[in-house]
Amino acid sequence: MPYHSLTLTVSDRVATITVNRPEKLNALDDATITELGAAADEVRARADIGGIVLTGAGRAFVAGADISELAGQSPLAARERALRGQEIFRRFETSPKPVVAAVNGFALGGGCELAMACHMRVASEGAKFGQPEVKLGIAPGYGGTQRLPRLVGRGRALQLLLTGETIDAQEAFRIGLVNRVVPAEQLLDAARAMVGQILRNGPLAVALTIDAVDRGLDLSLGEGLAVEAGHFGLLAATADMGEGMRAFLEKRAPAFRGA
Ligand code: COA
């Protein structure tokens, strides 16, 4: 579909989705959220795409939900907006294809939440992270109160959520919010390389690993282990498992087919 607030390009099986409202620091208005949902569906459906890099145009990754739209919202509309955004972010989080956020600048509020809904995060040295909602008299609505403590622990999450302070990329790395920090000019290559490294592995194995981690975080250890064992069994039915093991024994690179 044609997009207005984002671009979608594909190279070497890696899609790059770029939120593209640089004049508003890529703030997420409802139309942009809708397009993100459509882009998540498109990359999931397209066979020529194996993984995704999500980034922002200009000096921001995403500077939050669009405050001009939030300003007049009624309580019910606010709740609907949160639920809708959460559902769309969840499409990236549950994508069977790996999603890496390339955080090129401000990742504030909904921007930090969008990055956290990705499977991994690479940040440029100048990137900034924060959940400043409380400064506006609101609380996060796109998953910040739930994903941040899961990523960095309750104490550090509450510090960011309650002070609204902004941290730099090194601090985000130190607390485990981002996986890697690189110079700005290397950001997209580093994020694409991370996806590319994953794409050399069995796609069904990758998809079921994402699924096991995602489900397991909501389960007891015993229930999570049962999910893992089920996936392990399922993969034993795939041609890719045979190929992966044969390739190892024959000392060659595997040629996975996703079957
Ligand atoms: N919603 C709507 N518009 C936003 C926005 C947001 N979340 N973040 C930035 N913008 C707009 C600004 O209003 C400005 O638009 P204008 O030129 O039409 O006035 C433009 O983007 C540039 O932002 P500006 O504030 O002038 O840049 P800056 O370098 O001085 O400051 C920030 C950058 C990120 C510190 C600042 O824009 C900011 O605090 N943004 C809001 C962050 C936030 O609270 N996010 C959570 C929202 S729930």
Side-chain angles (χ1 to χ4, degrees), residues 179-213:
N179 299 69
R180 224 184 132 191
V181 181
V182 297
E185 62 277 12
Q186 294 171 21
L187 179 68
L188 282 179
D189 283 347
R192 288 179 183 137
M194 196 180 261
V195 174
Q197 186 182 1
I198 297 169
L199 296 188
R200 289 198 284 277
N201 301 325
L204 297 175
V206 166
L208 288 184
T209 300
I210 291 171
D211 186 69
V213 170

Short mmCIF file of all heavy atoms in Angstrom, two decimals, residues 179-213:
data_model
loop_
_atom_site.label_atom_id
_atom_site.label_comp_id
_atom_site.label_asym_id
_atom_site.label_seq_id
_atom_site.Cartn_x
_atom_site.Cartn_y
_atom_site.Cartn_z
N ASN A 179 20.76 -3.00 22.91
CA ASN A 179 21.71 -4.10 22.76
C ASN A 179 23.10 -3.62 22.37
O ASN A 179 24.10 -4.26 22.68
CB ASN A 179 21.22 -5.07 21.68
CG ASN A 179 19.89 -5.69 22.04
OD1 ASN A 179 18.87 -5.01 22.06
ND2 ASN A 179 19.89 -6.97 22.34
N ARG A 180 23.14 -2.49 21.63
CA ARG A 180 24.41 -2.05 21.06
C ARG A 180 24.36 -0.56 20.79
O ARG A 180 23.29 -0.04 20.43
CB ARG A 180 24.62 -2.77 19.72
CG ARG A 180 26.00 -3.30 19.52
CD ARG A 180 26.17 -3.92 18.16
NE ARG A 180 27.40 -3.37 17.61
CZ ARG A 180 27.79 -3.51 16.37
NH1 ARG A 180 27.04 -4.16 15.51
NH2 ARG A 180 28.93 -3.00 15.97
N VAL A 181 25.50 0.12 20.95
CA VAL A 181 25.59 1.54 20.58
C VAL A 181 26.69 1.68 19.54
O VAL A 181 27.78 1.13 19.70
CB VAL A 181 25.94 2.41 21.82
CG1 VAL A 181 26.01 3.88 21.43
CG2 VAL A 181 24.92 2.20 22.94
N VAL A 182 26.37 2.40 18.45
CA VAL A 182 27.35 2.56 17.37
C VAL A 182 27.35 4.02 16.91
O VAL A 182 26.38 4.75 17.15
CB VAL A 182 27.00 1.64 16.16
CG1 VAL A 182 27.06 0.18 16.54
CG2 VAL A 182 25.64 1.99 15.58
N PRO A 183 28.43 4.46 16.23
CA PRO A 183 28.42 5.82 15.66
C PRO A 183 27.25 5.96 14.68
O PRO A 183 26.86 4.99 14.01
CB PRO A 183 29.77 5.91 14.93
CG PRO A 183 30.64 4.89 15.60
CD PRO A 183 29.73 3.78 16.02
N ALA A 184 26.73 7.18 14.60
CA ALA A 184 25.51 7.42 13.81
C ALA A 184 25.64 6.89 12.38
O ALA A 184 24.70 6.29 11.84
CB ALA A 184 25.20 8.92 13.79
N GLU A 185 26.82 7.10 11.78
CA GLU A 185 26.95 6.73 10.36
C GLU A 185 26.96 5.21 10.16
O GLU A 185 26.79 4.73 9.05
CB GLU A 185 28.19 7.37 9.73
CG GLU A 185 29.53 6.97 10.33
CD GLU A 185 29.91 7.77 11.58
OE1 GLU A 185 29.04 8.47 12.14
OE2 GLU A 185 31.08 7.66 12.01
N GLN A 186 27.12 4.45 11.25
CA GLN A 186 27.13 2.98 11.13
C GLN A 186 25.79 2.36 11.54
O GLN A 186 25.63 1.14 11.48
CB GLN A 186 28.24 2.40 12.00
CG GLN A 186 29.63 2.76 11.55
CD GLN A 186 30.68 2.34 12.56
OE1 GLN A 186 30.46 1.48 13.40
NE2 GLN A 186 31.83 2.99 12.51
N LEU A 187 24.84 3.22 11.97
CA LEU A 187 23.64 2.68 12.62
C LEU A 187 22.85 1.71 11.74
O LEU A 187 22.57 0.57 12.12
CB LEU A 187 22.74 3.83 13.07
CG LEU A 187 21.43 3.38 13.74
CD1 LEU A 187 21.72 2.72 15.09
CD2 LEU A 187 20.47 4.55 13.92
N LEU A 188 22.49 2.16 10.54
CA LEU A 188 21.63 1.31 9.70
C LEU A 188 22.35 0.05 9.27
O LEU A 188 21.77 -1.05 9.28
CB LEU A 188 21.12 2.09 8.49
CG LEU A 188 19.98 3.05 8.79
CD1 LEU A 188 19.56 3.80 7.54
CD2 LEU A 188 18.78 2.32 9.39
N ASP A 189 23.63 0.18 8.94
CA ASP A 189 24.40 -1.02 8.56
C ASP A 189 24.45 -2.00 9.73
O ASP A 189 24.32 -3.22 9.54
CB ASP A 189 25.82 -0.65 8.14
CG ASP A 189 25.85 -0.05 6.74
OD1 ASP A 189 24.84 -0.17 6.04
OD2 ASP A 189 26.89 0.53 6.37
N ALA A 190 24.66 -1.48 10.94
CA ALA A 190 24.76 -2.36 12.11
C ALA A 190 23.43 -3.07 12.37
O ALA A 190 23.39 -4.27 12.67
CB ALA A 190 25.18 -1.56 13.34
N ALA A 191 22.33 -2.32 12.24
CA ALA A 191 21.01 -2.94 12.47
C ALA A 191 20.71 -3.98 11.39
O ALA A 191 20.22 -5.07 11.68
CB ALA A 191 19.93 -1.86 12.50
N ARG A 192 21.03 -3.62 10.14
CA ARG A 192 20.78 -4.58 9.05
C ARG A 192 21.67 -5.80 9.19
O ARG A 192 21.25 -6.93 8.89
CB ARG A 192 21.00 -3.90 7.69
CG ARG A 192 19.88 -2.90 7.38
CD ARG A 192 20.12 -2.20 6.05
NE ARG A 192 19.08 -1.21 5.80
CZ ARG A 192 19.30 0.01 5.32
NH1 ARG A 192 20.53 0.40 5.02
NH2 ARG A 192 18.31 0.84 5.13
N ALA A 193 22.91 -5.59 9.65
CA ALA A 193 23.81 -6.74 9.83
C ALA A 193 23.27 -7.67 10.92
O ALA A 193 23.39 -8.90 10.82
CB ALA A 193 25.21 -6.25 10.19
N MET A 194 22.67 -7.06 11.95
CA MET A 194 22.11 -7.89 13.03
C MET A 194 20.97 -8.76 12.49
O MET A 194 20.89 -9.95 12.77
CB MET A 194 21.60 -6.97 14.15
CG MET A 194 21.34 -7.66 15.45
SD MET A 194 20.75 -6.49 16.69
CE MET A 194 22.23 -6.17 17.59
N VAL A 195 20.11 -8.15 11.66
CA VAL A 195 19.04 -8.93 11.03
C VAL A 195 19.63 -9.97 10.08
O VAL A 195 19.23 -11.15 10.08
CB VAL A 195 18.05 -8.00 10.27
CG1 VAL A 195 17.02 -8.84 9.51
CG2 VAL A 195 17.34 -7.06 11.23
N GLY A 196 20.64 -9.55 9.29
CA GLY A 196 21.26 -10.46 8.33
C GLY A 196 21.85 -11.68 9.00
O GLY A 196 21.75 -12.81 8.48
N GLN A 197 22.46 -11.47 10.15
CA GLN A 197 23.05 -12.60 10.91
C GLN A 197 21.96 -13.60 11.29
O GLN A 197 22.14 -14.82 11.19
CB GLN A 197 23.73 -12.05 12.16
CG GLN A 197 24.50 -13.08 12.95
CD GLN A 197 25.13 -12.47 14.21
OE1 GLN A 197 24.97 -11.30 14.49
NE2 GLN A 197 25.83 -13.30 14.95
N ILE A 198 20.80 -13.08 11.67
CA ILE A 198 19.68 -13.96 12.05
C ILE A 198 19.14 -14.69 10.82
O ILE A 198 18.77 -15.87 10.89
CB ILE A 198 18.57 -13.14 12.74
CG1 ILE A 198 19.10 -12.53 14.04
CG2 ILE A 198 17.33 -14.00 13.01
CD1 ILE A 198 18.20 -11.48 14.66
N LEU A 199 19.14 -14.00 9.67
CA LEU A 199 18.57 -14.60 8.46
C LEU A 199 19.39 -15.76 7.91
O LEU A 199 18.92 -16.51 7.07
CB LEU A 199 18.38 -13.54 7.36
CG LEU A 199 17.36 -12.43 7.69
CD1 LEU A 199 17.09 -11.56 6.48
CD2 LEU A 199 16.07 -13.01 8.24
N ARG A 200 20.61 -15.92 8.43
CA ARG A 200 21.40 -17.09 8.01
C ARG A 200 20.94 -18.35 8.76
O ARG A 200 21.34 -19.46 8.41
CB ARG A 200 22.89 -16.84 8.27
CG ARG A 200 23.48 -15.80 7.32
CD ARG A 200 25.00 -15.87 7.29
NE ARG A 200 25.62 -15.28 8.46
CZ ARG A 200 25.85 -13.98 8.64
NH1 ARG A 200 25.48 -13.11 7.70
NH2 ARG A 200 26.43 -13.53 9.72
N ASN A 201 20.12 -18.16 9.77
CA ASN A 201 19.64 -19.30 10.58
C ASN A 201 18.31 -19.82 10.05
O ASN A 201 17.68 -19.20 9.19
CB ASN A 201 19.51 -18.86 12.04
CG ASN A 201 20.84 -18.36 12.59
OD1 ASN A 201 21.90 -18.88 12.22
ND2 ASN A 201 20.80 -17.35 13.43
N GLY A 202 17.88 -20.94 10.56
CA GLY A 202 16.63 -21.53 10.11
C GLY A 202 15.45 -20.62 10.43
O GLY A 202 15.24 -20.29 11.61
N PRO A 203 14.68 -20.19 9.43
CA PRO A 203 13.59 -19.23 9.70
C PRO A 203 12.50 -19.78 10.62
O PRO A 203 11.93 -19.03 11.42
CB PRO A 203 13.04 -18.91 8.31
CG PRO A 203 13.59 -19.93 7.39
CD PRO A 203 14.84 -20.48 8.00
N LEU A 204 12.22 -21.07 10.53
CA LEU A 204 11.19 -21.63 11.42
C LEU A 204 11.73 -21.69 12.85
O LEU A 204 11.00 -21.43 13.82
CB LEU A 204 10.77 -23.03 10.96
CG LEU A 204 10.12 -23.06 9.57
CD1 LEU A 204 9.85 -24.50 9.15
CD2 LEU A 204 8.82 -22.25 9.57
N ALA A 205 13.00 -22.02 12.97
CA ALA A 205 13.62 -22.04 14.30
C ALA A 205 13.62 -20.64 14.91
O ALA A 205 13.33 -20.46 16.11
CB ALA A 205 15.05 -22.58 14.20
N VAL A 206 13.91 -19.64 14.09
CA VAL A 206 13.89 -18.26 14.57
C VAL A 206 12.48 -17.87 15.01
O VAL A 206 12.27 -17.33 16.09
CB VAL A 206 14.42 -17.30 13.47
CG1 VAL A 206 14.10 -15.84 13.79
CG2 VAL A 206 15.92 -17.49 13.27
N ALA A 207 11.50 -18.18 14.16
CA ALA A 207 10.12 -17.80 14.46
C ALA A 207 9.63 -18.46 15.75
O ALA A 207 9.00 -17.82 16.61
CB ALA A 207 9.20 -18.19 13.30
N LEU A 208 9.94 -19.74 15.93
CA LEU A 208 9.46 -20.43 17.12
C LEU A 208 10.24 -20.02 18.37
O LEU A 208 9.71 -20.08 19.49
CB LEU A 208 9.50 -21.95 16.92
CG LEU A 208 8.45 -22.49 15.94
CD1 LEU A 208 8.50 -24.02 15.88
CD2 LEU A 208 7.04 -22.05 16.31
N THR A 209 11.47 -19.58 18.20
CA THR A 209 12.23 -19.06 19.35
C THR A 209 11.62 -17.74 19.81
O THR A 209 11.42 -17.52 21.02
CB THR A 209 13.72 -18.87 18.97
OG1 THR A 209 14.24 -20.15 18.60
CG2 THR A 209 14.51 -18.31 20.13
N ILE A 210 11.30 -16.86 18.86
CA ILE A 210 10.63 -15.60 19.22
C ILE A 210 9.33 -15.92 19.97
O ILE A 210 9.02 -15.35 21.00
CB ILE A 210 10.33 -14.75 17.96
CG1 ILE A 210 11.63 -14.22 17.34
CG2 ILE A 210 9.39 -13.60 18.29
CD1 ILE A 210 11.45 -13.57 15.97
N ASP A 211 8.57 -16.87 19.44
CA ASP A 211 7.29 -17.23 20.04
C ASP A 211 7.46 -17.79 21.45
O ASP A 211 6.71 -17.43 22.37
CB ASP A 211 6.58 -18.25 19.15
CG ASP A 211 5.17 -18.56 19.63
OD1 ASP A 211 4.31 -17.65 19.54
OD2 ASP A 211 4.94 -19.67 20.14
N ALA A 212 8.48 -18.65 21.64
CA ALA A 212 8.67 -19.24 22.97
C ALA A 212 9.06 -18.18 23.99
O ALA A 212 8.58 -18.19 25.13
CB ALA A 212 9.74 -20.34 22.90
N VAL A 213 9.93 -17.25 23.58
CA VAL A 213 10.33 -16.18 24.51
C VAL A 213 9.12 -15.31 24.82
O VAL A 213 8.85 -14.97 25.98
CB VAL A 213 11.48 -15.35 23.91
CG1 VAL A 213 11.73 -14.10 24.74
CG2 VAL A 213 12.75 -16.19 23.82
#
